[in-house]
Amino acid sequence: MKASELLVKCLETESVKYIFGIPGEETLDLLDALCDSAITFIPTRHEQGAAFMANAWGRLTGSPGVCLSTLGPGATNLITGVADAFLDRSPMVAVTGQIEQLRIHKESHQYVDVVSIFKPITKWNARIEGASVIPEVVRKAFKLSSVEKPGPTHIELPEDVAVENTDERPVPPLVITYPEPEPHLIREAVRAIKEAKRPLILAGSSVIRGRASSALRKFAEKSHISVSTSFMGIGAVPADSEFFLSTYGLQPRDYISCGFDRADLVIAVGYDFAEFAPEYFNPDKDKKIIHIDFTPAEIDAHYKALELVGDIAATLTILTEHVDFQKDHIYDAKLREMIKSSLNIELKGFPLKPLKIIQEIRNNLKRDDILISDVGAHKIWIARFYPVYEPNTAIISNGYSSMGFAIPASISAKMLYPEKNVMAVCGDGGFMMSAAEFETAVRLGLPIVCLIFNDGGYGLIEWKQMKKFGREFGCRFGNPDFVKLAESFGAKGFRVRSEDELGPIIKDALSQKVPSVIDCPVDYSENLKLTETLKSIVCPM
C-alpha cells in the first residue's frame, strides 16, 4: 500500500473515528486514503477550529482527538488550538502535510520548519522521513499524547513520503496502567491527615481526566474534609454536596481564601499549577501539602509536598480504606453559608446582570447537560457561580485560556453526546473568533446553542484596566447583527430585549433542530462591584 494508506490504517488501529481539518494540496494522497476509510473527515472553516474540536474531543473522551492541516499557513493556523491542548492537558494528535523533502533544504513556496515551530507546544513531534517508520511514529504519537500529563503530539508527512510503497503494518496499542503509591507513603499521608486540625482538599483537572470523581467523593464523605475545585475540576464533587465549598482560581482574594488561610494541611488531588499558582493558597510557605496525582509535583518554593504518585482513583480508594476518623467541619459549614450568601447580588435590570444570565442558563439545563465556556469576563462568573453536578458537564479552558474555544468545542461535545443539550457561552469577542464554525455545526446538523454575553468590548480586559488604572483603553468594538448572522448560516437567531425574555428564549433555543444563537446584552458594571465585595471579605471566626 501507499504510505498515506498505511498512515490511515494506523489511525484506524488507534480507534480514530473523526479527523477535523482543512484539505490542502500537500495532503491530497492522505485525503484520498481517508476517502476509503472508516474514519470520517470533518471539513472545518478554520484550522484553529479544527484544533479546538480535536482538543475538546480528547478532553471529553480521554482518547486523542485528531486534526489535519496542510503545510505552512494551514499548519501555523493550528497553533493556538494545539497550544491550548498543551496547557489544558488534552490528548490530541495534529497531522500536517509538507513539501517534498528534496526542497526542504532551500527556500521554497509556503515552506517553514513546522516541526521546530510545534516543538515547544507539543509533548513530542516528528517528521516522517520514510514509509517504514509510520507505524512506530503513529503509535508513539498516540501513546505519548495519552499518558499523564496528556497533551498534543504532532506528525508531519511530506508529500513525497506519502506516495511511497510499503509492506509495513500498524503497531497495535496497549492499555496504559499506573502504579499505586508505596505503602509507607500511604501510612505517612494518613498520619498527616489524622493529625491535621483544619485539612482542606484542593481538587484539579486530573481528577476529572483520571475518572477519579467517585473516589474523591467517597474520601470526602468518609473523612468529612471539604473540597474546593479548580475551574477545570468543577463537577468532581457535586455543587450540592455538603462537602463542596467553592471553586478556586480567581487569584485575587475570594471567599475560598478564608478556607486556605485557616487550613494547616492542603490535600492537592490532581492539582495543576497551570490553573492556579501555589503562592495564592500558601503565601507563607508554611502549610503541609499532600500531592496526589499521576505524575510528580512541579518544583515550586510554595509547594513542598508529600507525594503520592500513581493512579488517583486507586490512591484515594486506599486512603479511604485507612480513614477511621472524621474531621470537624463546623468552620467549613460557616464558610459554605458565607459563600452561598455571596449569591445575594442584584439581579434586576436590563441589560441583564451576569448572575441573572447564569441562573437562567442553570434553570434550563439538566444536571448532565453540557455547558462550554469561552474565555472572557463571563468565564469568571461561570466558574464562580454556575453550579456543576457531574464531571465534564462544564468545560472551561483555564490552562491556556484561549478565546474562540467554545463554539468548536461544543461541536465535538454534541457529536459525542447527541442526546444532551450542549450550550456554548461566549463573549461577543470570543464568538467572532470562531463564528465561521457555525456553518460546520449547521452542515453537520448539530443543534448546539450559543449564548453571547454582548457588551461591545473585551470585557475582562476592561475589568482589569478599570481596577488598575480607573479607565478603559482599546477594548471597545462594534458587532454585527447576531440574529441575522445566525440566520445567514441557516441557524436560528434570538435577541433578548428584556430581563423576562431570557428564560423562555433559552428554552425555545434548546428545543430547535438547528443550531441557535442568543444575543444577550450584559451589564458588566457588576464586575467592579464583585471586585469591591471580594476585597472586603471578613472571614468567619
Side-chain angles (χ1 to χ4, degrees):
M1 70 181 83
K2 288 198 303 185
S4 56
E5 295 169 334
L6 174 59
L7 179 57
V8 170
K9 291 291 184 187
C10 291
L11 295 176
E12 290 175 336
T13 301
E14 298 291 345
S15 300
V16 174
K17 294 182 178 179
Y18 298 98
I19 296 177
F20 306 94
I22 290 181
E25 186 176 346
E26 286 70 24
T27 56
L28 289 176
D29 288 277
L30 183 57
L31 289 161
D32 190 64
L34 282 171
C35 189
D36 298 319
S37 166
I39 299 171
T40 301
F41 178 66
I42 306 291
T44 63
R45 302 312 302 265
H46 195 286
E47 290 89 352
Q48 177 176 290
F52 280 140
M53 291 175 202
N55 173 340
W57 184 277
R59 183 166 166 184
L60 287 166
T61 66
S63 299
V66 181
C67 57
L68 172 68
S69 81
T70 188
L71 81 175
T76 55
N77 277 347
L78 290 173
I79 286 176
T80 299
V82 172
D84 191 89
F86 186 68
L87 284 186
D88 281 3
R89 320 304 187 193
S90 299
M92 184 178 87
V93 176
V95 181
T96 61
Q98 189 52 275
I99 62 172
E100 58 184 343
Q101 295 180 94
L102 290 174
R103 293 197 286 129
I104 284 177
H105 70 285
K106 58 186 178 181
E107 292 182 1
S108 297
H109 178 64
Q110 288 194 315
Y111 173 73
V112 290
D113 186 351
V114 174
V115 173
S116 294
I117 291 172
F118 273 53
K119 186 176 181 180
I121 57 169
T122 55
K123 293 182 68 178
W124 178 79
N125 74 338
R127 174 181 297 143
I128 297 174
E129 297 180 344
S132 63
V133 303
I134 288 175
E136 292 178 348
V137 168
V138 173
R139 179 80 285 271
K140 184 172 183 177
F142 275 79
K143 181 178 181 179
L144 291 181
S145 176
S146 300
V147 297
E148 290 288 335
K149 296 176 181 177
T153 56
H154 166 239
I155 300 170
E156 181 179 83
L157 180 65
E159 57 184 341
D160 56 329
V161 177
V163 297
E164 288 182 11
N165 290 317
T166 178
D167 293 327
E168 297 293 333
R169 291 294 180 267
V171 176
L174 298 174
V175 176
I176 300 170
T177 58
Y178 296 91
E180 296 175 358
E182 294 291 332
H184 76 278
L185 295 175
I186 293 288
R187 290 193 294 270
E188 189 176 345
V190 171
R191 183 167 58 251
I193 297 170
K194 190 170 186 177
E195 293 173 354
K197 291 182 171 57
R198 300 174 298 277
L200 182 64
I201 296 170
L202 183 157
S205 57
S206 293
V207 176
I208 305 289
R209 196 168 61 240
R211 307 294 192 261
S213 300
S214 177
L216 176 62
R217 296 175 188 189
K218 290 176 182 177
F219 175 70
E221 289 165 0
K222 188 172 181 183
S223 64
H224 282 203
I225 301 175
S226 295
V227 180
S228 176
T229 68
S230 73
F231 287 15
M232 292 174 60
I234 49 178
V237 173
D240 52 2
S241 165
E242 66 173 302
F243 301 107
F244 176 71
L245 283 175
S246 179
T247 53
Y248 63 82
L250 292 184
Q251 296 187 1
R253 193 162 180 78
D254 191 6
Y255 293 95
I256 191 60
S257 303
C258 296
F260 285 124
D261 289 350
R262 188 174 182 272
D264 58 351
L265 173 67
V266 175
I267 306 171
V269 185
Y271 159 67
D272 196 320
F273 287 39
E275 285 201 80
F276 188 60
E279 64 183 287
Y280 290 113
F281 66 85
N282 190 20
D284 299 324
K285 309 176 186 177
D286 58 346
K287 298 187 187 301
K288 291 183 178 179
I289 299 172
I290 297 175
H291 171 88
I292 300 173
D293 208 345
F294 292 100
T295 57
E298 173 66 280
I299 303 300
D300 191 295
H302 297 266
Y303 196 83
K304 299 172 184 176
L306 168 63
E307 299 189 31
L308 303 184
V309 178
D311 183 88
I312 294 177
T315 301
L316 289 170
T317 299
I318 295 169
L319 286 176
T320 304
E321 291 170 354
H322 285 78
V323 168
D324 58 358
F325 52 84
Q326 290 184 340
K327 292 297 177 180
D328 179 4
H329 64 301
I330 294 176
Y331 181 89
D332 292 346
K334 292 179 181 178
L335 181 56
R336 192 173 294 109
E337 287 305 311
M338 182 179 178
I339 293 170
K340 285 182 179 178
S341 71
S342 70
L343 291 171
N344 296 326
I345 297 175
E346 179 60 50
L347 297 178
K348 296 289 186 180
F350 188 84
L352 275 70
K353 310 295 185 184
L355 186 56
K356 170 68 173 178
I357 300 172
I358 289 168
Q359 289 184 350
E360 290 293 353
I361 293 171
R362 182 70 275 181
N363 290 341
N364 282 278
L365 293 180
K366 298 188 287 292
R367 288 176 73 97
D368 63 344
D369 285 339
I370 298 174
L371 178 147
I372 299 180
S373 175
D374 211 82
V375 174
H378 65 280
K379 183 182 89 168
I380 304 300
W381 286 91
I382 288 170
R384 180 62 181 76
F385 294 104
Y386 181 78
V388 184
Y389 304 107
E390 298 295 336
N392 276 337
T393 58
I395 305 298
I396 299 175
S397 171
N398 199 46
Y400 198 60
S401 293
S402 176
M403 295 174 67
F405 170 79
I407 295 173
S410 66
I411 288 173
S412 291
K414 193 64 177 179
M415 290 172 66
L416 275 165
Y417 302 106
E419 75 285 0
K420 295 184 179 183
N421 292 314
V422 176
M423 177 176 285
V425 181
C426 302
D428 42 4
F431 175 85
M432 290 300 291
M433 290 186 181
S434 289
E437 299 305 341
F438 245 79
E439 187 280 325
T440 308
V442 170
R443 176 171 18 100
L444 297 177
L446 300 172
I448 61 172
V449 175
C450 181
L451 188 149
I452 303 171
F453 277 58
N454 187 348
D455 70 321
Y458 296 114
L460 181 58
I461 304 307
E462 182 176 343
W463 185 356
K464 292 179 181 294
Q465 286 178 333
M466 294 300 294
K467 281 198 301 181
K468 189 171 183 177
F469 303 111
R471 60 181 180 177
E472 170 274 330
F473 179 76
C475 292
R476 299 279 96 201
F477 51 70
N479 281 315
D481 185 322
F482 289 124
V483 172
K484 290 181 179 178
L485 181 63
E487 292 171 348
S488 72
F489 282 123
K492 184 78 173 177
F494 299 89
R495 180 170 292 110
V496 179
R497 300 182 185 278
S498 71
E499 61 180 298
D500 298 328
E501 288 185 352
L502 180 58
I505 284 177
I506 293 175
K507 184 177 181 179
D508 191 359
L510 291 171
S511 70
Q512 298 295 319
K513 303 300 182 184
V514 296
S516 298
V517 173
I518 301 173
D519 178 2
C520 184
V522 60
D523 177 8
Y524 271 147
S525 65
E526 294 297 313
N527 292 347
L528 288 174
K529 294 179 184 177
L530 178 62
T531 297
E532 292 303 313
T533 299
L534 296 179
K535 281 168 58 178
S536 60
I537 290 173
V538 177
C539 296
M541 300 300 293

